[in-house]
Amino acid sequence: MIHVHVHPDKATAVKSVAASIAKLIRERAAKGQRTVLGLATGSTPIPLYAELVRLHREDGLSFRTVTTFNLDEYSGLGPDHDQSYRYFMQQQLFNHVDVTPSETHVPNGLAKDVVAECAAYEAAIKKAGGIDLQVLGIGRTGHIGFNEPPAGPSTRTRQVHLDEVTRRDNASFFGDVAKVPHHAVTMGVGTILDCRRVVLLAWGEGKAEIVQRSVEVAPADSCPASWLQQHTACDFILDTAAAAKLSKTH
Ligand code: GLP
């Protein structure tokens, strides 16, 4: 079941998400428990990370009890490549908060044995106790992480081939579509469905159609995000433009 929350703009939306992440971290820390966050990249979560950094600086939010697992990484890009998702996370969040570096996990895009890397990633998530809260964006193909259609609940962390729509959508970051990798390593739809809470963010009219399909059309591998309807605690956090094509309030 997806609960939809519509905010007037993304600035207001990310404040509410950051506040609920801060509450989760603080409540668990007070009980001596770590918090395992699943994190996403892309342009969508950038203001969320800025707000979490602000809460760290101005409100004393500590990430010392936080373990993180990112959804995905481009194959072939190392941590020093400015388009790698490891680099993105360092710039947007990790370098600015007190998280323990060894507690941050991003799939290794340079792994020689990709199958072993994917199995180790799944094992590390399990060893950490599973993901308490997973942040997601959504691609215009309906992908979550880099689970391009078709992808369903049986998929786990693995290497995938990127859709041309996705490569074109990300071309501006690379300066040229030819420089966008053709493959990535991503948590599977099944890995994401195992997270205890899922929070998907979407802004702008460009996401309105895929948001509507994900929420209102029966789950199908042709729209991987639609499988989130089967999750028991999934929130879609939208601005008014991204919610514009929904036929009713959810
Ligand atoms: C990227 C990422 C996804 C992200 C999506 C949307 O390719 N792999 O995790 O949600 O595409 O990107 P954006 O937030 O820039 O629209």
Side-chain angles (χ1 to χ4, degrees), residues 40-45 71-72 74 85 136-139 143-146 166 170 173 207:
T41 50
S43 54
T44 304
L71 285 164
D72 48 10
Y74 287 112
Y85 285 164
L136 293 178
I138 185 169
H143 72 229
I144 45 177
F146 263 140
T166 302
N170 286 300
F173 299 112
K207 298 288 172 76

Side-chain angles (χ1 to χ4, degrees), residues 214-237:
S214 303
V215 176
E216 297 185 343
V217 177
D221 292 1
S222 54
C223 179
S226 64
W227 289 108
L228 295 169
Q229 292 174 32
Q230 296 194 341
H231 197 280
T232 50
C234 177
D235 294 295
F236 272 36
I237 311 292

